[in-house]
Every structure is written in C-alpha cells, then in structure tokens.
Amino acid sequence: MSAAEGPLVVGVDSSTQSTKALVVDAATGRVVASGQAPHTVSSGAGRESDPRQWWDALCEALSQCGDAAHEAAAVSVGGQQHGLVTLDERGEPVRPALLWNDVRSAPQARRLTEELGGAKFWAERTGSVPAASFTVTKWAWLAEHEPEAARATQAVRLPHDYLTERLTGQGTTDRGDASGTGWWASGAESYDEEILAHVGLDPALLPRVVRPGEVAGTVRDSHDLPFSRGTLVAPGTGDNAAAALGLGLRPGVPVMSLGTSGTVYAVSRHRPADPSGTVAGFADARGDWLPLACTLNCTLAVDRVATLLGLDREAVEPGTAVTLLPYLDGERTPNLPNASGVLHGLRHDTTAGQLLQAAYDGAVHSLLGALDLVLDQDADPAAPLLLIGGGARGAAWQQTVRRLSGRPVQVPEAKELVALGAAAQAAGLLTGEDPAAVARRWNTAAGPVLDAVERDEETLTRIAGVLSDAAGLLQRPTDTH
C-alpha cells in the first residue's frame, strides 16, 4: 500500500444484505482498503435480522482492511433506514430487528394516519405520511402483536444507531436517519412528544440527535476492532443521506438509486411536506432536506423474474405490449403494501426476453412517476439524472431509464457511495469541511453521461392504464400478520 497523502478515515455501509467498510485517504478520496461481509434476512412472514450479525459483519469487514484500518483517525456509519432495533437493559437485542422492507405494519400505518389528524397532519408535522416502512409503524405493530417484547425494551435504535453505539458506548443518531422514524418533528427538529405518547413510547428510550459536524463520540475499548481507543466517531446517517453525501450532491440534481429498493431523491433547501405520501420528507445529513420516493421492488424483483424465466438479467428483448408490475413484496410507491405482481397482455408469441423487459419497465415506471414530485424549484432542468446503486451499471437498467425518462443519464464511476459518504462525513470531522464539499473534492460523481433519447410515451401510458385498471385488485387486503 502506497503512503497516504492525508489522514485515513473509515466509511461503513451497513445495508440490508451486507456490511462494507472502506478505508479512505481524507485528502484525495483514494480507497486504500476495503472489506465486506454478508448478513442474513429472514424469509418468513416479515423481514428481520439479528442486529448482532451487523456488528460481526462490521468486525469481519474491518479485519479484511488489514493494517489500514488501524491508522484511521475517524469513522462513520451509514445504515439501512427505518429498521426497529429494540434493546434490553444490557444493550442486547430483545428480538430480531424489523427491517424497512417488512410490510406487516401496513394496518398500523393506516390506523396511525387516521387517529392523529390524517395525512396532512403527519406531512406537516414529520415531513412524511406514515408507510409500513417507517419505524413508528413497526413500534405500533410490536406493541400490538408482541407486547412482552415492547415492555422489555429499554432502548430503541435504528440500524446505524446500533453500530455507532457499540463503537462509542453512547446512544446517538442524526437528523437524516431520525427523519425516517415518523416520530421526529421536521419543523422543530426534535422528537415529537404527541406522536410518541400516542404510540406509547417513552422519549427517554430514544438516542440523542447529534448535529451535523458534531462528534458523536470516540471509539471505546474493544478487542473486536482495529481502531485505536479515542478514534473519532461521526454522527453517521441513513443510507440515502449517506449516498447524497457521497455524491457531493448539490440542490436540485436528481438521483435514481437502483438497489434492493429503488429510490429517487434530490437535495432541497425547502422542507418538504407531501400529504399524498408519495414523497417522504427526509432531512439530509448536512442541514438541508432530502425529499425521496421509494419503491420496495427494484433489482431483486427484476432478478427474481429473470430467475423464474431462466434468463440472464441482461437478456431483454424489445417490441412487447406485455405489462408486468413487479410488486413481489407489496409496494410503497404506489402505496400498495398488500399488492402482488400483475402480468397483463400476455400473448402466444410473447418471448421470455420481452417479459423480462416488462419487469424492468414496471420497476422504472414507479420511480419516474415520483421524480417530478421530488424535484422542486431548486431543480436544475439541464442536470443529468445520476444513476447509482447495484443496478446502475447494468445495460438493461441504463437503457430502460433513458427510454422511459427521456433524460440524459450519468453513471458515476465511484462505487460504494454510501460508504464513501460516511467516509466524507468522517473526513469532515478532521478538516472542518462540509462533507458534501469533501466528496466534490474527491470527484466522486465523475462518470460517463449517456445522451437523452426520445421518451417512450406509449409504454408509460400503457403501464399507467394497467395500473389504473388493476387498482381494485392491488388494494385487496391479504394476511399481513
């Protein structure tokens, strides 16, 4: 390993399926070492993970980084949003964490919205209308279905909070991740006592919200980690806010992230409040806002269709009138938590490749439908759509996004943007810089720009029509216990 030009920092991405760690030169953004270890997610009625495996995965990922991790001066953790981590008096998990894509709390989301003033109240108070992904609905589900677990809970954390607390010994979170709970008032930038009282959650069980640029703590003694005692720990944040940092995102530049979930978002200087619930009014990790729309079904859903068809994920074929809405795990945008997949227009001459292309079209349609709502007066109409996430390098994803958006598409060459954003946040602690400015100095968003093509209005109209026709079927309740 060649000598670093500046101090080293560690950025962590604890996602749904794995934890990744990057050791980064704070001066140049050069990744000098990396590691990754997997998680498991339950495949039963819900989506759950034991938080202790996140810690084990972090330790393994850091061990793969070798000596470089020992030299780090600061560390920050980006993590999957919304998950409900319940801890007992010893700091041990009461039960497995309920993850963001566990939709069993859809009935609680509807009930909470109705009981506390309706969608407009929630949008104005928290920035978002509760969806099954949000932590507040998961706590309500737990209190209803597992009251013993709720009573045993002495601390409530988000996934990135859990890892940060194990690093520092202190219960902290940040405004970006707190804004996805449903119990953080975005106007006051504090926990909402009325909402917490309504769901029976003592605010004393929640972590302290650390301000942007503030040190969350220092690494305590631990034989599991390569860090020196006293290494600085940044506030961390949720994965989407971390990726925004990793891109050095300026207000008004649109992003589409193609991962386990699909998201569209942009940094805004204006506090969002969408009573339709399509756009979640998240805070970012800097002091601005991150209006965001999320679909549950993205790369995993399309890959599942490819597997069912016995095809490589790139084996798409054009020229189809078939429509596939790949709502394999319910859906969040549109808000159809009980939905399943819909196939329409199948003909004798329909090919497997055309079915696969229809799955791509259905997934991208959901995201593009929310993009105009995400962008506001800060939007730069000439800015390319930044395409990130695991699917961004796939030709079929790229071409589908270009064809259905009609926009130029830029694919940043930098990988692991969540971990890079966390690293930029850690670097900001050392230099006093805005983490987004750090990332821009690192030139993380650089990458090829694919020219705009004519938008495929015919396909967009056809999918919208099938969605409208199937609305009654998609809304039909199913067993969500």
Side-chain angles (χ1 to χ4, degrees):
M1 183 183 74
S2 59
E5 296 181 28
L8 298 180
V9 294
V10 170
V12 176
D13 173 12
S14 184
S15 67
T16 314
Q17 299 179 61
S18 68
T19 291
K20 303 158 191 154
L22 301 181
V23 182
V24 180
D25 185 331
T28 65
R30 180 172 62 91
V31 177
V32 302
S34 64
Q36 178 174 350
H39 309 154
T40 57
V41 178
S42 69
S43 57
R47 296 289 184 269
E48 302 180 352
S49 288
D50 184 342
R52 289 169 292 204
Q53 69 175 318
W54 305 336
W55 178 257
D56 293 340
L58 173 60
C59 294
E60 171 59 27
L62 287 169
S63 72
Q64 294 172 21
C65 295
D67 292 340
H70 290 272
E71 303 173 27
V75 58
S76 181
V77 178
Q80 54 178 307
Q81 288 185 265
H82 305 305
L84 175 66
V85 180
T86 51
L87 305 177
D88 63 20
E89 69 281 354
R90 297 173 294 115
E92 293 295 323
V94 171
R95 69 176 315 285
L98 296 168
L99 303 186
W100 62 273
N101 54 349
D102 188 320
V103 298
R104 285 177 291 178
S105 60
Q108 286 73 28
R110 288 192 296 270
R111 190 181 73 229
L112 288 175
T113 303
E114 294 166 357
E115 289 175 349
L116 273 181
K120 189 172 185 290
F121 166 91
W122 283 89
E124 292 178 351
R125 186 73 71 91
T126 72
S128 305
V129 180
S133 301
F134 282 53
T135 322
V136 67
T137 72
K138 298 181 187 307
W139 175 260
W141 181 92
L142 188 72
E144 181 177 337
H145 291 278
E146 300 180 13
E148 297 87 354
R151 285 193 293 269
T153 297
Q154 298 300 306
V156 171
R157 301 291 185 262
L158 297 165
H160 112 258
D161 306 341
Y162 173 78
L163 292 174
T164 300
E165 185 166 356
R166 290 201 60 171
L167 286 169
T168 65
Q170 302 178 47
T172 62
T173 191
D174 89 301
R175 69 191 293 271
D177 222 2
S179 68
T181 59
W183 54 55
W184 186 80
S186 59
E189 300 217 14
S190 62
Y191 291 127
D192 191 300
E193 294 186 2
E194 181 180 358
I195 292 173
L196 289 170
H198 187 78
V199 298
L201 181 57
D202 183 349
L205 304 188
L206 300 177
R208 179 175 68 91
V209 181
V210 178
R211 297 187 305 273
E214 183 183 349
V215 176
T218 58
V219 173
R220 60 180 174 175
D221 289 329
S222 173
H223 298 298
D224 298 328
L225 297 171
F227 301 124
S228 301
R229 181 181 180 185
T231 299
L232 296 179
V233 181
T237 193
D239 50 5
N240 289 299
L245 288 183
L247 289 165
L249 207 59
R250 296 184 187 275
V253 176
V255 177
M256 179 181 289
S257 177
L258 303 172
T260 303
S261 64
T263 58
V264 288
Y265 57 84
V267 170
S268 174
R269 295 187 176 93
H270 311 282
R271 186 172 73 92
D274 175 18
S276 78
T278 301
V279 176
F282 297 144
D284 77 352
R286 299 173 52 256
D288 286 327
W289 303 94
L290 197 72
L292 178 148
C294 175
T295 62
L296 297 182
N297 297 282
C298 195
T299 60
L300 289 186
V302 172
D303 284 353
R304 179 59 181 155
V305 172
T307 299
L308 288 172
L309 296 170
L311 296 178
D312 181 90
R313 67 182 64 171
E314 296 290 339
V316 295
E317 295 180 26
T320 177
V322 69
T323 299
L324 178 55
L325 305 179
Y327 303 156
L328 306 190
D329 290 303
E331 190 44 87
R332 176 165 156 183
T333 304
N335 185 25
L336 299 167
N338 300 323
S340 55
V342 172
L343 178 61
H344 181 270
L346 190 65
R347 297 287 186 181
H348 188 83
D349 60 353
T350 302
T351 67
Q354 290 171 342
L355 279 177
L356 181 57
Q357 180 60 67
Y360 278 97
D361 289 349
V364 171
H365 176 272
S366 293
L367 287 167
L368 291 177
L371 185 59
D372 288 341
L373 293 174
V374 163
L375 296 173
D376 61 14
Q377 58 262 47
D378 291 326
D380 180 355
L385 175 59
L386 293 177
L387 199 62
I388 66 171
R393 298 176 193 278
W397 281 110
Q398 292 175 5
Q399 298 311 315
T400 303
V401 171
R402 290 174 72 201
R403 180 171 52 82
L404 296 186
S405 72
R407 301 179 67 115
V409 169
Q410 183 171 3
V411 184
E413 292 177 351
K415 299 179 181 178
E416 310 304 347
L417 285 163
V418 173
L420 276 176
Q425 191 184 57
L429 285 186
L430 303 179
T431 66
E433 291 175 273
D434 173 356
V438 172
R440 289 194 290 271
R441 178 162 55 76
W442 292 350
N443 203 25
T444 53
V449 178
L450 309 176
D451 292 338
V453 298
E454 183 178 359
R455 192 160 77 162
D456 184 353
E457 299 287 357
E458 180 181 349
T459 295
L460 293 169
T461 300
R462 173 169 43 79
I463 295 173
V466 171
L467 181 57
S468 177
D469 290 344
L473 177 65
L474 291 167
Q475 293 282 10
R476 188 172 60 193
T478 58
D479 180 14
T480 57
H481 178 76

